[in-house]
Amino acid sequence: MQIIKKVKVKQIVTEASKTVLLQKFQNRIQKLEQEIQQLKFEQKKLEHQHKLNRQKVIVKFKQELDKRTENIRFWQNQLEQIHTLPLESEIFEREVDALTEVEVGAKWDNIMTEQVIIIKDGTVIRIDEVGE
């Protein structure tokens, strides 16, 4: 039988990965800024179409705009932090699902041991098991 478990992926910071991360963060900020502009346009359009529900439209769009503005702040913070990271440090990139084989008689603690995949410049360089 196979089960799915979460595995963390970490990246080793290099000059090349810093450049890629900076570009990725800048792209996310730019995309969020575009979404904000689009939402503002849609809000104005709906406000004129639904004069009776104007307040509801304003509240709903404010929530969406605030969410994106907060995301922009987060990514700007990430941009600032990437500049201060020393080369060869490990940073969390994401979490992925992994299929794990479970057999009768297997040690459950061994199966559920946390694993971390370490990547350097797009190549897996090791897989660590982190004991609890």
Side-chain angles (χ1 to χ4, degrees):
M1 165 190 269
Q2 293 181 331
I3 61 170
I4 298 172
K5 73 177 193 177
K6 299 287 184 191
V7 176
K8 291 180 182 170
V9 178
K10 291 185 177 181
Q11 185 173 153
I12 294 179
V13 177
T14 64
E15 283 298 331
S17 67
K18 262 189 177 185
T19 302
V20 169
L21 286 171
L22 287 170
Q23 186 63 47
K24 187 187 297 186
F25 296 164
Q26 289 167 339
N27 288 344
R28 287 182 179 162
I29 290 170
Q30 185 177 18
K31 183 177 182 280
L32 287 164
E33 288 171 343
Q34 289 171 345
E35 287 177 16
I36 286 173
Q37 293 306 314
Q38 183 65 32
L39 282 169
K40 286 179 178 179
F41 174 77
E42 292 294 326
Q43 178 181 358
K44 295 256 186 253
K45 189 169 130 181
L46 286 174
E47 283 177 19
H48 292 296
Q49 288 176 354
H50 303 285
K51 294 195 187 288
L52 296 177
N53 295 327
R54 187 170 187 266
Q55 193 59 35
K56 287 182 183 178
V57 169
I58 290 171
V59 169
K60 179 64 178 163
F61 276 89
K62 182 176 179 350
Q63 290 172 348
E64 292 300 319
L65 290 167
D66 289 348
K67 188 167 39 173
R68 283 164 179 81
T69 301
E70 187 59 36
N71 275 337
I72 287 174
R73 281 193 212 107
F74 171 79
W75 290 114
Q76 286 172 333
N77 185 41
Q78 293 295 97
L79 267 175
E80 291 171 16
Q81 299 227 348
I82 200 77
H83 289 293
T84 62
L85 280 175
L87 294 178
E88 300 301 314
S89 60
E90 292 180 4
I91 59 169
F92 175 80
E93 184 176 306
R94 71 181 93 163
E95 200 169 66
V96 296
D97 292 330
L99 282 176
T100 302
E101 192 67 37
V102 178
E103 297 175 354
V104 174
K107 298 285 184 191
W108 183 250
D109 289 341
N110 292 347
I111 292 169
M112 294 311 293
T113 299
E114 183 180 352
Q115 293 179 310
V116 180
I117 299 170
I118 310 297
I119 297 173
K120 184 174 184 177
D121 292 330
T123 303
V124 175
I125 60 168
R126 70 180 193 272
I127 300 171
D128 294 340
E129 290 195 9
V130 182
E132 292 188 30

